[in-house]
Amino acid sequence: VVGKSRGPWVEDSDFLATVPDFAPCTIGPHGFPQNWPGVYTSSRSLKSLLGKRGLLGAIRVHVMAPPSAADVARIAGLSLDPVQSCLNAARVAAHTGMDVVKGWAIFELFDIPGPAEMGGAFVAQKYWYNRDAAGVLVDFTPRGPDSSDAASAPLLLVEARDVSEK
């Protein structure tokens, strides 16, 4: 919102895609990779992002459910914004003392088939989340309207070789 927005904006450089000329502003239907975890071994496209020699060089991959009610209670009164994971994770860290994990979220692009021999099309978005003192990862960024499929969908989050700075 002009004059009221603060923090890091989401910009084109926050995305890495397995398809040429990908434009985030035209992303279309996307979500958690279909046929997970089998798609990791069957899709050369996904490996080109996550593999040891891939664009991200994943160190750890996590299937992350939305936060539990107990986790949400830890951030009571904190205002978080959809799509602003980097800002949200920093706010949660300041509020709770949790660490910020500067990683990536992986989405399958459902309306872009990609070359058949590559096994689909995928995009990685810079995505920050939190780690509590016990080492448990929690993602507090709102995923969609309450009671929607998006709100309860898992995310594929990646800790990568290089930190995703904003």
Side-chain angles (χ1 to χ4, degrees):
V1 177
V2 176
K4 294 185 179 184
S5 298
R6 57 194 165 116
W9 289 83
V10 176
E11 47 196 17
D12 288 358
S13 64
D14 293 340
F15 296 85
L16 296 173
T18 62
V19 292
D21 303 321
F22 174 77
C25 62
T26 61
I27 193 167
H30 61 285
F32 189 83
Q34 298 176 83
N35 304 316
W36 182 262
V39 67
Y40 178 72
T41 57
S42 65
S43 171
R44 289 185 13 214
S45 286
L46 189 55
K47 279 190 175 182
S48 75
L49 279 176
L50 300 181
K52 289 179 183 174
R53 289 182 227 129
L55 292 172
L56 299 179
I59 296 169
R60 290 180 195 87
V61 176
H62 311 279
V63 175
M64 186 76 68
S68 68
D71 286 327
V72 171
R74 295 162 73 177
I75 61 162
L78 195 58
S79 176
L80 302 178
D81 301 310
V83 188
Q84 292 291 333
S85 70
C86 301
L87 180 60
N88 293 336
R91 285 178 180 163
V92 168
H95 184 78
T96 65
M98 290 183 183
D99 292 333
V100 174
V101 179
K102 297 177 179 181
W104 298 82
I106 308 298
F107 302 99
E108 183 168 359
L109 301 171
F110 299 133
D111 64 344
I112 302 174
E117 71 275 5
M118 293 299 287
F122 299 87
V123 64
Q125 179 184 1
K126 287 181 182 176
Y127 198 95
W128 295 1
Y129 44 103
N130 299 92
R131 177 179 284 120
D132 70 14
V136 176
L137 297 172
V138 187
D139 170 38
F140 292 99
T141 295
R143 298 177 187 189
D146 290 341
S147 303
S148 71
D149 288 343
S152 60
L155 287 179
L156 187 62
L157 299 180
V158 174
E159 293 178 65
R161 169 182 58 234
D162 298 319
V163 174
S164 65
E165 294 293 346
K166 281 293 293 170

